[in-house]
């Protein structure tokens, strides 16, 4: 299956998309990488644990660096909600 987004795509971010409701399973988010300080991630929320940490995955799991490699993300790592793609 082809990924939803490619590395050269431009996305629209809603920086207050989670101001009133937390991320939900299936949401696509922009987040700070937990290890690489200057790297941003666009990933889909796959699950949320009881502590509120997000397990995120890429839509192309065979070619994605995601929570399987770096662990779950704290919700404060989320910058915004991906709401669209610029054609």
């Amino acid at each position: 299956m082809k990924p939803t987004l490619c590395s050269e795509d431009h996305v629209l971010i809603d920086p207050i998309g989670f101001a009133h409701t937390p991320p939900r399973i299936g949401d696509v988010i922009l987040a700070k990488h937990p290890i690489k300080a200057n790297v941003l991630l666009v990933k889909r929320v796959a699950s949320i644990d009881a502590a509120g940490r997000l397990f995120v995955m890429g839509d192309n799991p065979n070619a994605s660096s995601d929570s399987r490699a770096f662990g779950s993300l704290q919700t404060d790592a989320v910058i915004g909600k991906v709401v669209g793609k610029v054609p």
Side-chain angles (χ1 to χ4, degrees), residues 35-73:
I35 300 167
K36 301 174 184 175
N38 59 343
V39 174
L40 298 177
L41 304 166
V42 174
K43 300 293 176 189
R44 188 175 304 275
V45 177
S47 67
I48 304 168
D49 68 18
R53 293 180 62 89
L54 308 173
F55 190 89
V56 296
M57 290 186 67
D59 285 351
N60 185 2
N62 293 332
S64 180
S65 174
D66 50 36
S67 287
R68 296 171 297 166
F70 52 71
S72 58
L73 301 175

Side-chain angles (χ1 to χ4, degrees), residues 10-41:
H10 293 85
V11 294
L12 299 173
I13 306 297
D14 181 356
I16 59 170
F18 300 117
H20 300 292
T21 58
R24 297 183 302 179
I25 294 172
D27 285 342
V28 179
I29 63 168
L30 176 69
K32 299 173 193 169
H33 194 288
I35 300 167
K36 301 174 184 175
N38 59 343
V39 174
L40 298 177
L41 304 166

